[in-house]
Amino acid sequence: MKFSIWGANLAGGFLRSRIDQCTDGSLEYNRKLVHLAEELDIDSILFPTRYTGTIGGNATDEGQLDPISVITALASETKKIHFIAAVLPGFIHPSTLAKISSTIDVISNGRFHINLVSGWFKEEQEMFGIEWIKHDERYKRSSEYLEVLKGLWTSDGFSFRGNYYHIKNASLSPKPVQKPYPAIYQGGNSKDAQEMAGRFSDFYFMNGAPIEELKEQILSVSSVAEKYGRDIKFAVNAFVIARENTTIAYDEYQNIINHADDIAISQFNNKKETLGMWRNATSISDLIANNEGFRTGLIGSYEDVAKKIDQLKQIGVHKVLLTFRHPLKELPNFYTNVVPQLQATQVQ
């Protein structure tokens, strides 16, 4: 099993709760986080994108650092960790992203990826003059977006004519270091999202969910990929509370729930416009952690968490995207107490 972590380019933390948590979104904090992740041999770090607001419920004046800019700043300081930048198609033309991506892939010697986010935050896009289009059209646009990206990354004299993008005999150089192109990550739980992932993406990012829900998504996307002669890998989001014993872990979890930020949760519910994401989030606890992180169930003793991760591996999950209240403290704890148990299971 490989692990990714969330970058903290958005200030405010990852919990919609008034509990104490790390809310630092500065470049210096992200530098510390990336260097720690590299030291622990974490596979990758995902930097989200947001043009307004936060993920957690904590008010902050720090704002949102652009993920691509942060990655560019940190890529030359590292040697192993892979960087994933979330991208909204409406804000960046695919030819622009193709050029930027190729450049960062050269800078990082083949460690840059994108996470294409078709968009669920209507207010954010309209605020900046981005036309808000219907759900199915957003995924049609995203599909064209990926076709253009791949074409420019892999071909010279590339042409494309779709409903959203027209490219005529275009070439970009240099091409990405990774061949045939940098891996593409994509989320979204709707049928449109799953169809797009099966056809065009390399990793399908799933919101946190119980095993049975994850198995259904994996089966659905895999069947689409099979129709097109493709293989696809799967990653799942999870908020981790791994402690010395189960009682301590669940006491902390309950404390987070008890301090739920009802206003932030209500605002989030009112702003999201999506057909698939969060459709099974029915309780307050489902919405407190970013991307339904608590629903994956990585809460308990070190042994409990290791067993649950092994279950995720058994159903076909290739990577877990980890979130913590205090990453700089909890990541070393996770790698000291949880990861060795996973490695011991693999040896057996």
Side-chain angles (χ1 to χ4, degrees):
M1 179 71 74
K2 292 185 177 181
F3 296 107
S4 294
I5 60 170
W6 284 92
N9 54 309
L10 311 182
F14 290 91
L15 289 168
R16 299 178 184 96
S17 173
R18 295 185 179 89
I19 196 93
D20 173 55
Q21 61 176 309
C22 179
T23 61
D24 195 343
S26 67
L27 178 61
E28 187 53 41
Y29 175 79
N30 280 284
R31 178 173 283 113
K32 292 178 182 177
L33 184 61
V34 166
H35 284 290
L36 173 62
E38 174 129 309
E39 179 183 327
L40 294 172
D41 205 25
I42 290 172
D43 177 75
S44 50
I45 181 167
L46 167 63
F47 286 93
T49 186
R50 184 69 58 80
Y51 284 74
T52 182
T54 62
I55 291 179
N58 295 276
T60 174
D61 294 327
E62 291 181 51
Q64 316 83 20
L65 293 176
D66 172 65
I68 296 174
S69 302
V70 171
I71 288 171
T72 305
L74 299 176
S76 61
E77 300 182 12
T78 54
K79 295 185 181 302
K80 297 181 297 181
I81 192 167
H82 286 240
F83 293 94
I84 309 168
V87 177
L88 286 162
F91 285 85
I92 305 177
H93 193 278
S95 61
T96 304
L97 182 63
K99 187 66 172 175
I100 292 172
S101 300
S102 296
T103 301
I104 301 177
D105 209 46
V106 170
I107 292 171
S108 65
N109 193 28
R111 294 182 288 123
F112 182 73
H113 310 276
I114 69 160
N115 173 36
L116 196 69
V117 183
S118 292
W120 54 264
F121 194 171
K122 180 180 179 182
E123 177 185 329
E124 176 184 57
Q125 299 203 26
E126 292 184 336
M127 179 186 300
F128 291 98
I130 307 298
E131 180 186 4
W132 183 255
I133 56 179
K134 293 181 179 179
H135 182 273
D136 60 333
E137 290 298 322
R138 295 202 298 274
Y139 280 96
K140 290 177 182 177
R141 177 178 64 183
S142 292
S143 296
E144 288 190 12
Y145 198 97
L146 293 183
E147 288 192 79
V148 172
L149 269 183
K150 291 182 180 182
L152 292 173
W153 278 340
T154 60
S155 306
D156 290 318
F158 174 72
S159 295
F160 179 87
R161 189 166 188 84
N163 292 323
Y164 296 95
Y165 305 107
H166 300 163
I167 308 296
K168 183 178 179 180
N169 195 31
S171 299
L172 288 179
S173 184
K175 297 286 191 288
V177 172
Q178 298 173 83
K179 303 303 179 188
Y181 52 79
I184 295 166
Y185 291 72
Q186 179 219 320
N189 292 350
S190 67
K191 290 297 182 183
D192 291 323
Q194 293 178 357
E195 179 75 20
M196 174 182 152
R199 291 187 63 186
F200 299 110
S201 301
D202 302 294
F203 268 91
Y204 180 63
F205 257 141
M206 298 177 285
N207 267 14
I211 290 291
E212 289 306 314
E213 285 184 29
L214 296 175
K215 286 170 67 175
E216 290 176 7
Q217 292 182 58
I218 290 171
L219 179 62
S220 177
V221 177
S222 295
S223 64
V224 174
E226 186 177 359
K227 287 193 303 184
Y228 293 95
R230 303 183 69 246
D231 291 320
I232 188 167
K233 295 181 179 179
F234 297 90
V236 64
N237 182 63
F239 200 101
V240 182
I241 306 177
R243 299 294 181 260
E244 291 87 347
N245 60 60
T246 302
T247 299
I248 294 174
Y250 274 93
D251 283 349
E252 181 175 341
Y253 167 73
Q254 190 59 52
N255 196 24
I256 293 170
I257 304 303
N258 292 343
H259 288 83
D261 189 331
D262 296 331
I263 294 175
I265 292 171
S266 177
Q267 289 176 338
F268 170 72
N269 268 327
N270 292 334
K271 289 177 179 177
K272 62 181 173 64
E273 295 209 11
T274 176
L275 296 181
M277 302 286 275
W278 301 284
R279 68 170 180 261
N280 293 321
T282 57
S283 68
I284 291 294
S285 65
D286 293 342
L287 294 169
I288 286 181
N290 71 305
N291 289 48
E292 301 174 79
F294 283 148
R295 299 187 74 233
T296 309
L298 299 193
I299 303 169
S301 67
Y302 302 131
E303 183 180 7
D304 292 339
V305 172
K307 286 181 179 178
K308 188 57 179 285
I309 293 172
D310 188 59
Q311 291 174 8
L312 294 173
K313 179 181 177 182
Q314 297 306 316
I315 66 169
V317 173
H318 300 85
K319 184 178 293 188
V320 181
L321 176 58
L322 307 172
T323 322
F324 301 93
R325 278 178 66 191
H326 298 283
L328 295 183
K329 175 183 177 182
E330 294 185 65
L331 271 171
N333 182 52
F334 180 86
Y335 268 77
T336 297
N337 295 292
V338 177
V339 173
Q341 297 193 49
L342 293 170
Q343 294 169 339
T345 301
Q346 293 171 4
V347 170
Q348 294 173 2

